[in-house]
Amino acid sequence: MSNNANEPIAPNVSGTYSTWRKYLVLFVLCLVNLVNFMDRSVIAGVVDRVRSYYDISDTSVGLVATVFICSFMACAPMCGYLGDRYNRKWMICLGITVWSATSLASSFVPPNNYPLFLLFRALMGVGEASYGVVAPTIIADLFTGDQRSRMLSLYYAGLPVGSGLGYMMAALVSEVLEDKFGWNESWKYSLRITPGLCFLLFLLILAFVTEPVRGANENSKESRTTWLIDMKYLSTNRSFIWCTIGTSCATFAIGAFGSWCPSLLDRACPLIEDSQSQKSQGCEAIGSGFLFGIVTGVGGLMGVTLGSQIANRWRRTNPRADPLVCAFAMIIATPLMFTSLWLSRYYRIVTWILIFFGTMTASFGWGISVDIILYVVPPRRRSTAQSVYILTQHLLGDAFSALIVGALADAYRRVVDDSIKNSNKFTEFYSLQSALLMMLLIFVGGIGSFLATALNISVDRKQAALVTKGRAQDAYDWSSALLDNDIYYSDSHTRVESA
């Protein structure tokens, strides 16, 4: 390897893909992402069982998500650095091994050792970081243009669908095994399913995934740069910065909603006066987690798909379509999700309908936002960009949102008037509802951030395209290259061609 930072990059790994092989690799990566979010969402589907098993408060339950996300984001920058320089296939294999082993180990922790349970959930984040950072960059090296947008949307459909399956799996396994192992113990067996799936995915990656050449589909002539130069580039890329902040706001609100909404719906059921009303309002014996998984999984899948299609069509006439779709989707999702929480005690059927459409619209931007990050950053810097994006998204997003909701719920519970009729059940519900309603206000910051992204995205696309072609090195020397007659840029999507 040359020590010259400006020397043109030579492919470090040969990875030639036929068309069918590209789609096979995409399929495997999508499966891993699906199982990833299944595993993450298991605890959210059985919050009350976990709280009872370890005899902890809502604040301590929220800490489970926080320690996982904190370890995930702490490892993301290093994984991004390695992903831009070394073989990404082996990083994914190592990550799956660590993630599945620690997930399985966490299911055997006894009720008197909650700190050990937190440690294993934290180590899961270390494993998942090595996968989550580099997998989208592999997809970006396999596909370009509108096709890449569609493939990334398929990949990120694993977020709502996997989360929904995680809720369902946790609720179903816990209910089926409750008679044999008890209400407090049965939830642990839902943590022992995904490690087996991970072993199969590990074999699929070994068999079918090879390292693609970075930027080969974009005819990259990008020069090798240092990590500090890459970070300087990202710090001046306004579209990257605003898109990352917008996604962080969405992640904060949606993370809190997904972590606590099933528990809120379960707490609402005892407030319905008679059993017949409970049944008619959707209070099933299996708990709200199962139905929540179905509603959010289907709604999220439809949202990711529709969002991608709308953006692709609108992009033909408006180069700012991608961030505008993200902004408008959040404008619609905010009142839907807010109203669903407000009505959850009184009109359960209406609540489920609002959750469905709220989740669907909130999911419009998941694939689009990552596509923005990838096309405003040159190929050689994408793993670093993805790591910074993930670090910031979780640091400002769901790293602390579940913990904050739990802490607010505990605080509200202490101040609610004990003289209220049915006070114990009421305060359990009201405290959590109030905390969740406050969290959704963060959507407002996301809307403003995506609108700011729309103001800068055309310039930053051109800049990234010029760096890819070797016509510019950083944010300060690209403008003169725009006057070069043999550079052509199309705002319909990111590409630079010879005129």
Side-chain angles (χ1 to χ4, degrees):
M1 181 181 297
S2 173
N3 293 323
N4 187 353
N6 295 318
E7 182 182 339
I9 297 171
N12 59 343
V13 180
S14 62
T16 303
Y17 283 88
S18 60
T19 300
W20 72 268
R21 187 70 175 271
K22 288 182 180 180
Y23 287 102
L24 180 59
V25 171
L26 174 69
F27 177 72
V28 173
L29 295 179
C30 287
L31 283 180
V32 178
N33 202 40
L34 183 77
V35 175
N36 172 10
F37 282 99
M38 281 180 62
D39 206 30
R40 290 193 198 187
S41 303
V42 167
I43 301 300
V46 287
V47 163
D48 291 333
R49 294 176 188 261
V50 175
R51 187 174 63 156
S52 175
Y53 178 78
Y54 286 108
D55 191 22
I56 53 178
S57 64
D58 283 341
T59 304
S60 296
V61 173
L63 193 60
V64 176
T66 297
V67 296
F68 167 81
I69 295 298
C70 285
S71 65
F72 181 91
M73 66 185 186
C75 294
M78 178 57 68
C79 292
Y81 176 85
L82 297 175
D84 278 335
R85 291 158 176 82
Y86 299 101
N87 191 300
R88 292 168 286 184
K89 170 183 175 177
W90 297 114
M91 289 182 62
I92 292 174
C93 289
L94 177 61
I96 290 178
T97 302
V98 174
W99 146 34
S100 58
T102 52
S103 177
L104 181 63
S106 70
S107 70
F108 293 98
V109 177
N112 60 349
N113 205 342
Y114 182 63
L116 181 61
F117 180 76
L118 289 178
L119 175 62
F120 283 132
R121 299 303 290 184
L123 292 175
M124 276 180 57
V126 176
E128 292 192 20
S130 61
Y131 164 77
V133 170
V134 301
T137 68
I138 292 178
I139 297 174
D141 286 334
L142 296 177
F143 303 95
T144 58
D146 288 344
Q147 189 181 30
R148 180 166 67 198
S149 300
R150 291 192 294 271
M151 298 307 107
L152 284 170
S153 293
L154 286 174
Y155 174 80
Y156 278 98
L159 193 161
V161 176
S163 297
L165 290 174
Y167 296 128
M168 294 168 62
M169 179 180 70
L172 185 61
V173 171
S174 299
E175 182 67 25
V176 169
L177 298 180
E178 183 176 323
D179 290 340
K180 183 175 182 180
F181 298 104
W183 193 82
N184 266 7
E185 298 275 351
S186 58
W187 66 272
K188 296 191 296 182
Y189 291 86
S190 58
L191 293 174
R192 299 172 188 175
I193 296 176
T194 52
L197 298 176
C198 288
F199 177 72
L200 296 177
L201 293 172
F202 182 90
L203 296 179
L204 288 175
I205 292 172
L206 287 180
F208 298 113
V209 176
T210 56
E211 175 80 354
V213 177
R214 294 171 176 83
N217 283 335
E218 298 164 272
N219 298 316
S220 176
K221 298 178 182 178
E222 191 181 353
S223 297
R224 187 180 302 278
T225 55
T226 65
W227 183 81
L228 289 177
I229 290 177
D230 293 347
M231 293 302 296
K232 177 183 176 182
Y233 177 90
L234 295 177
S235 69
T236 58
N237 190 320
R238 296 176 183 177
S239 296
F240 173 82
I241 293 170
W242 283 116
C243 183
T244 301
I245 295 174
T247 306
S248 300
C249 292
T251 303
F252 186 99
I254 295 173
F257 187 84
S259 294
W260 286 106
C261 193
S263 179
L264 178 73
L265 296 171
D266 282 337
R267 298 180 193 192
C269 284
L271 302 179
I272 301 174
E273 292 185 356
D274 59 82
S275 59
Q276 188 62 34
S277 296
Q278 289 182 8
K279 185 175 181 181
S280 65
Q281 290 289 339
C283 294
E284 294 79 7
I286 199 171
S288 300
F290 186 82
L291 186 54
F292 186 80
I294 296 175
V295 170
T296 56
V298 175
L301 177 61
M302 291 180 61
V304 171
T305 304
L306 285 173
S308 174
Q309 292 300 316
I310 292 170
N312 283 340
R313 291 179 181 275
W314 194 9
R315 195 187 297 125
R316 297 170 186 171
T317 57
N318 186 351
R320 297 177 173 86
D322 288 347
L324 290 177
V325 168
C326 295
F328 293 151
M330 293 177 71
I331 291 174
I332 298 171
T334 302
L336 290 173
M337 298 175 79
F338 192 93
T339 308
S340 73
L341 296 175
W342 187 261
L343 299 178
S344 57
R345 181 188 170 192
Y346 304 103
Y347 305 102
R348 297 272 293 189
I349 305 302
V350 176
T351 295
W352 285 119
I353 294 172
L354 291 171
I355 290 175
F356 174 83
F357 285 105
T359 302
M360 183 180 74
T361 50
S363 299
F364 272 26
W366 286 123
I368 298 172
S369 59
V370 176
D371 194 24
I372 292 173
I373 296 300
L374 292 174
Y375 67 59
V376 299
V377 175
R380 193 66 186 180
R381 295 167 176 170
R382 283 175 182 158
S383 288
T384 299
Q386 185 73 1
S387 69
V388 175
Y389 171 77
I390 288 175
L391 171 64
T392 308
Q393 174 191 0
H394 292 301
L395 179 63
L396 302 181
D398 55 354
F400 300 102
S401 61
L403 177 64
I404 291 172
V405 168
L408 286 175
D410 286 338
Y412 286 146
R413 190 179 299 113
R414 288 191 291 268
V415 299
V416 169
D417 186 0
D418 290 335
S419 66
I420 298 176
K421 181 183 178 181
N422 203 24
S423 61
N424 290 334
K425 293 179 181 178
F426 180 80
T427 55
E428 286 283 319
F429 169 80
Y430 176 76
S431 60
L432 184 55
Q433 182 194 49
S434 301
L436 279 171
L437 288 171
M438 291 183 63
M439 293 302 99
L440 290 183
L441 296 176
I442 304 298
F443 267 137
V444 176
I447 295 168
S449 298
F450 280 118
L451 292 177
T453 305
L455 295 176
N456 295 282
I457 197 163
S458 293
V459 170
D460 290 327
R461 279 179 173 177
K462 296 174 184 179
Q463 175 186 331
L466 290 164
V467 174
T468 301
K469 283 294 183 180
R471 301 299 181 92
Q473 186 63 262
D474 56 38
Y476 301 102
D477 65 358
W478 63 270
S479 55
S480 61
L482 288 176
L483 302 177
D484 197 326
N485 290 330
D486 62 346
I487 291 288
Y488 165 73
Y489 171 75
S490 171
D491 259 334
S492 64
H493 205 59
T494 307
R495 65 177 183 267
V496 176
E497 301 170 352
S498 297

